Amino acid sequence: NRVRIVTQLIDAATEQHLWGETYDRELTDIFAIQTDVALHIADALRAELTPDEKTRIEHEPTADMQAYQLYQQGRHCFLRYTSEGMSKGIKFLEAAITSDPKFALAYVGVALARIEMGEGGQVEPEIAYSQARTAVTRALELDPDLADAQAALGYLKTVADYDWVGAEQAFKAALALQPGNADAFDHYGRLCGSLGRFDEAVALTRRAQELDPLAHRSDVANELLRAGRVDEALEAARRVVEFDPHYDRGHATLGWAYNRMGMHAEGIAALECAVGLSPDNSQWFAQLGQALGLAGRTDEARAVLAQLDATSATRYVSPYHFAYVYTGLGEHDAAIDYLERAYAERAGAVYGIKGSFLFAPLREHPRFVALLRRMNLA
């Protein structure tokens, strides 16, 4: 029932040991220990803490250790970003809420998982976003100053409401409350990329990755692709795959880096790997169909369309995913038909079509421009 925390401060440039301390504590309340040690370190390093910073350090998200452990398990599962991982994560997070109904951070976790499932097409967006909105609202009722809740609200305003101004205000509020909130940086970066503010998007997602490289692995590479910085994107995507060879989103991002460099065989192989790692994810399967179409392998691309159509008879398939394949086949009107459906349903990542390289061939089409206008993106 005792814990030992060893702290060190080292100058990374010279490897000089500047300061160190060991703290032995009784393991009765991990949050109290965390606060105590953090304040001792701040004092030892002569840090000038503002009242807000001191309040953040002393804030306990829950007094229920079982709830906190369930929350950590839920977030771990969710961050796999697979259908199975997110479903399992939600179960842990809901169990955390059952254990402590006033645990605001657990409601945020549920909201983020629901949003991701709605955007990825694992669940009908109308259902997913309604559930996410309920969870975010409850989190803010419990703790209006919770940065994670403000960041989740910004993400929801982006994907479900197309409220660009409101979303940006929520992200800025989150970062004012907690300047080191990785989720806020990452989702703010996605918003900027969707609005065509690519340099900001790269900087924000890079900061998110620096703060939490396990949670935010591939968005930097994706935003580099949007920005047209393909060489950098390829290197970033390769690092993602090297870091986690079983991460489907990493392989999909690598595939598009190859495709944008004209290396279609390598790009298709990477997308096939993403599909193999997550065979129930129609997003990667549809993107594979798009890549096949762009490579001139039209029969295979049409086979993907047929499979998506057959799958839609038994479970939800996002219209956004059909738009991928039709774009790859050069059938632009059909692609826009599905994008218009996606817009109406708030399906897929349709909020990001202005900045998406996947729909670049459609940018001059009058119907595409009209769709952007309806979304206040043109």
Side-chain angles (χ1 to χ4, degrees):
N1 289 324
R2 288 183 63 79
V3 61
R4 169 165 292 175
I5 302 170
V6 180
T7 61
Q8 292 182 315
L9 179 66
I10 296 170
D11 186 323
T14 65
E15 297 188 9
Q16 180 184 359
H17 184 277
L18 302 177
W19 172 84
E21 189 61 76
T22 299
Y23 302 92
D24 290 309
R25 296 289 188 274
E26 291 293 328
L27 190 57
T28 54
D29 184 341
I30 191 65
F31 299 116
I33 295 169
Q34 177 177 293
T35 297
D36 180 47
V37 172
L39 292 172
H40 271 87
I41 292 171
D43 182 62
L45 300 180
R46 297 182 178 85
E48 293 293 332
L49 295 180
T50 67
D52 284 346
E53 288 169 337
K54 193 169 186 293
T55 298
R56 282 199 297 271
I57 288 173
E58 293 176 343
H59 177 70
E60 295 185 6
T62 177
D64 185 331
M65 286 309 301
Q66 180 184 11
Y68 190 70
Q69 185 172 5
L70 288 165
Y71 167 77
Q72 294 286 10
Q73 288 174 292
R75 185 164 171 85
H76 171 76
C77 292
F78 158 63
L79 290 176
R80 297 175 191 168
Y81 294 113
T82 62
S83 299
E84 180 186 2
M86 285 186 278
S87 296
K88 191 173 181 180
I90 287 170
K91 289 179 181 178
F92 278 118
L93 292 162
E94 289 178 340
I97 291 168
T98 299
S99 186
D100 179 3
K102 294 185 178 181
F103 188 7
L105 204 55
Y107 287 97
V108 173
V110 169
L112 290 177
R114 298 290 188 195
I115 295 169
E116 287 282 354
M117 293 182 83
E119 181 181 340
Q122 288 95 345
V123 177
E124 291 182 46
E126 182 179 4
I127 296 171
Y129 296 156
S130 174
Q131 293 169 331
R133 202 177 302 278
T134 299
V136 169
T137 300
R138 182 59 179 148
L140 288 168
E141 288 171 352
L142 290 166
D143 190 349
D145 295 325
L146 181 61
D148 296 86
Q150 291 289 347
L153 178 63
Y155 190 21
L156 186 62
K157 284 179 177 289
T158 300
V159 302
D161 301 335
Y162 308 153
D163 179 2
W164 320 122
V165 174
E168 188 157 14
Q169 288 172 343
F171 289 133
K172 287 181 176 179
L175 291 172
L177 289 164
Q178 187 182 357
N181 190 292
D183 287 353
F185 276 109
D186 188 76
H187 296 140
Y188 191 5
R190 293 194 205 179
L191 170 66
C192 289
S194 300
L195 298 176
R197 291 157 49 183
F198 299 123
D199 289 343
E200 289 175 79
V202 170
L204 288 163
T205 52
R206 199 184 296 281
R207 181 60 179 146
Q209 190 177 70
E210 290 168 353
L211 289 164
D212 193 344
L214 292 176
H216 304 295
R217 287 164 279 181
S218 61
D219 283 338
V220 173
N222 192 58
E223 295 304 334
L224 286 167
L225 280 174
R226 286 184 173 193
R229 295 159 60 177
V230 182
D231 289 344
E232 293 175 74
L234 180 62
E235 286 305 308
R238 280 174 172 162
R239 287 195 297 272
V240 172
V241 171
E242 287 170 4
F243 179 74
D244 185 355
H246 302 291
Y247 184 37
D248 56 349
R249 190 175 295 191
H251 286 279
T253 306
L254 178 62
W256 284 110
Y258 281 131
N259 281 321
R260 294 206 70 192
M261 296 190 77
M263 303 167 66
H264 295 294
E266 293 85 347
I268 288 169
L271 284 161
E272 286 174 337
C273 187
V275 171
L277 287 166
S278 193
D280 60 341
N281 188 329
S282 61
Q283 181 176 5
W284 310 141
F285 187 55
Q287 287 188 14
L288 173 60
Q290 181 176 10
L292 290 166
L294 290 170
R297 295 162 60 173
T298 56
D299 288 345
E300 292 168 87
R302 292 195 185 283
V304 169
L305 273 179
Q307 182 60 52
L308 289 172
D309 195 48
T311 301
S312 68
T314 57
R315 67 175 177 85
Y316 178 75
V317 176
S318 172
Y320 192 73
H321 298 169
F322 284 93
Y324 286 141
V325 190
Y326 279 113
T327 302
L329 287 167
E331 297 181 20
H332 294 174
D333 278 304
I336 295 172
D337 287 342
Y338 277 100
L339 286 179
E340 288 174 343
R341 278 184 52 189
Y343 162 73
E345 296 177 17
R346 302 302 198 256
V350 70
Y351 67 89
I353 57 173
K354 177 180 179 178
S356 175
F357 54 87
L358 295 174
F359 296 112
L362 309 179
R363 285 178 183 160
E364 303 303 319
H365 196 294
R367 289 176 61 201
F368 188 81
V369 174
L371 179 57
L372 292 181
R373 288 199 186 101
R374 291 206 294 277
M375 298 173 68
N376 293 318
L377 288 172

